[in-house]
Amino acid sequence: MAIKLFSIIFFIETVNCQFQCKFDRPILGEYYSYENGLETHTSFKKNGNIDRLFYRRESGRGATANIITVLDNHALGECVYLNWKENPFRHVSKHHYQLIYRDKTKSCYQCFEIYNRTHNILQIRKSECDEVTSISTNQMNIQDLCLTINEEAEFDTLFLKTYSAEECRATIYGTYHFTYEFREGGIGICDNSISRLVSCPDPGTPFDAVNERFWMTYGYCRNLVSSIDAQPLYQCLGHWFNEKGDIFTAIANERVGSERWYDKFRCMLTRQDQPQWFAKSLFAECARLYSPTDGP
Ligand SMILES: *[C@@H]1O[C@H](CO)[C@@H](O)[C@H](O)[C@H]1NC(C)=O
């Protein structure tokens, strides 16, 4: 019985296997992410090529000392195998694409697990490129390589640059008062009565049935150096759940131009059982949000 089952699984995987990949939606596209402190631009091209550019942020010289970005690393690679992994016995947040990546300059293969969370968001984690992995056409090698990815490994979150807003209502709806705190540089919590998040249909527009954006008004706190006085307008890029009941919502600041990707994308965390709390990330990433009351 066990042997029979194995042969069925083997058969399905062989059928799905494509040894040259072509990308289509939901993977195809240009993405921005913040990975290990580097601004990252990823392009999944139609022909299966994967180009990634990594930039460091530095303060420039001279009186104006603006932040400049410096190219740190450039990775050119291609997809050699792509397969959709779905197991009806596992939570839907575990369904993902398995991609085998070949770097064009290094002799290694890496397994990428790609989770398409919404139309605008991919989350990725990968195996290491620390040893020479030779993949022939052997199916088991691919699975072995992918098994080296730790089940608990964190994801990088990729935001589609040509995103289209999605409904916010499922996770953020209504008016909230919030206090805020920056974990880096701040010393204390800013509780100004005008700080609020307003997520309601745009009044007076023909679109008042849809609710794809919300305002956050940050009140100023005198004693907090890092408190800010600003009113960003966020568009929702969709949400997803994990098996613990955490709800992640990706957002884009509509008032930030596309030349400032670093400031544009954020991730928010809420919970089904604690809808009054949320945490918002300081960067374009979701990995360091652990609970609604404990975000960076
Ligand atoms: C992710 O991709 C799979 C396979 O193409 C598709 O069935 C699923 O609906 C996608 N999920 C989202 C959230 O778009």
Side-chain angles (χ1 to χ4, degrees), residues 83-122:
N83 184 25
W84 172 249
K85 297 279 279 186
E86 178 177 319
N87 179 336
F89 302 108
R90 302 192 72 189
H91 189 263
V92 52
S93 66
K94 306 276 186 187
H95 297 173
H96 63 275
Y97 285 93
Q98 215 170 43
L99 182 154
I100 301 297
Y101 172 84
R102 191 182 74 85
D103 194 289
K104 289 182 177 170
T105 55
K106 294 179 228 152
S107 62
C108 78
Y109 289 88
Q110 282 171 279
C111 175
F112 284 22
E113 285 183 3
I114 304 183
Y115 296 75
N116 56 317
R117 299 300 192 191
T118 81
H119 293 306
N120 304 304
I121 302 295
L122 297 180

Side-chain angles (χ1 to χ4, degrees), residues 49-61:
N49 281 349
I50 303 170
D51 290 356
R52 312 197 75 203
L53 291 160
F54 303 90
Y55 292 90
R56 246 175 314 117
R57 290 169 65 84
E58 286 180 357
S59 33
R61 272 172 257 256

Side-chain angles (χ1 to χ4, degrees), residues 250-262:
I251 56 178
N253 189 338
E254 195 179 298
R255 293 183 162 170
V256 168
S258 60
E259 73 291 350
R260 284 168 56 211
W261 297 114
Y262 177 82

Side-chain angles (χ1 to χ4, degrees), residues 7 17 35 61 79 82 96 147 163 168 172 208-209 244-245 259 281 284:
S7 64
C17 150
E35 303 184 10
R61 272 172 257 256
C79 170
L82 182 65
H96 63 275
L147 279 175
Y163 64 85
C168 304
I172 300 160
D208 61 1
K244 294 181 218 147
E259 73 291 350
S281 64

Side-chain angles (χ1 to χ4, degrees), residues 16-164:
N16 285 344
C17 150
Q18 311 158 358
F19 268 92
Q20 82 281 22
C21 322
K22 298 246 181 295
F23 289 123
D24 204 341
R25 297 295 302 147
I27 296 180
L28 179 74
E30 310 277 326
Y31 296 84
Y32 177 84
S33 53
Y34 191 68
E35 303 184 10
N36 302 317
L38 297 176
E39 291 201 72
T40 307
H41 298 263
T42 303
S43 173
F44 290 98
K45 298 183 193 295
K46 249 198 177 94
N47 63 7
N49 281 349
I50 303 170
D51 290 356
R52 312 197 75 203
L53 291 160
F54 303 90
Y55 292 90
R56 246 175 314 117
R57 290 169 65 84
E58 286 180 357
S59 33
R61 272 172 257 256
T64 50
N66 286 326
I67 297 284
I68 53 166
T69 54
V70 182
L71 185 65
D72 186 272
N73 196 0
H74 189 180
L76 292 175
E78 63 186 354
C79 170
V80 295
Y81 168 91
L82 182 65
N83 184 25
W84 172 249
K85 297 279 279 186
E86 178 177 319
N87 179 336
F89 302 108
R90 302 192 72 189
H91 189 263
V92 52
S93 66
K94 306 276 186 187
H95 297 173
H96 63 275
Y97 285 93
Q98 215 170 43
L99 182 154
I100 301 297
Y101 172 84
R102 191 182 74 85
D103 194 289
K104 289 182 177 170
T105 55
K106 294 179 228 152
S107 62
C108 78
Y109 289 88
Q110 282 171 279
C111 175
F112 284 22
E113 285 183 3
I114 304 183
Y115 296 75
N116 56 317
R117 299 300 192 191
T118 81
H119 293 306
N120 304 304
I121 302 295
L122 297 180
Q123 285 196 307
I124 300 186
R125 54 190 186 185
K126 347 179 185 22
S127 64
E128 298 293 325
C129 169
D130 54 4
E131 60 193 83
V132 179
T133 337
S134 85
I135 299 231
S136 48
T137 50
N138 189 327
Q139 200 65 31
M140 288 318 279
N141 276 350
I142 289 175
Q143 296 314 322
D144 285 351
L145 183 60
C146 294
L147 279 175
T148 64
I149 300 174
N150 187 331
E151 271 290 301
E152 302 301 314
E154 287 184 344
F155 298 102
D156 291 317
T157 304
L158 279 62
F159 296 77
L160 184 67
K161 292 180 184 175
T162 54
Y163 64 85
S164 54

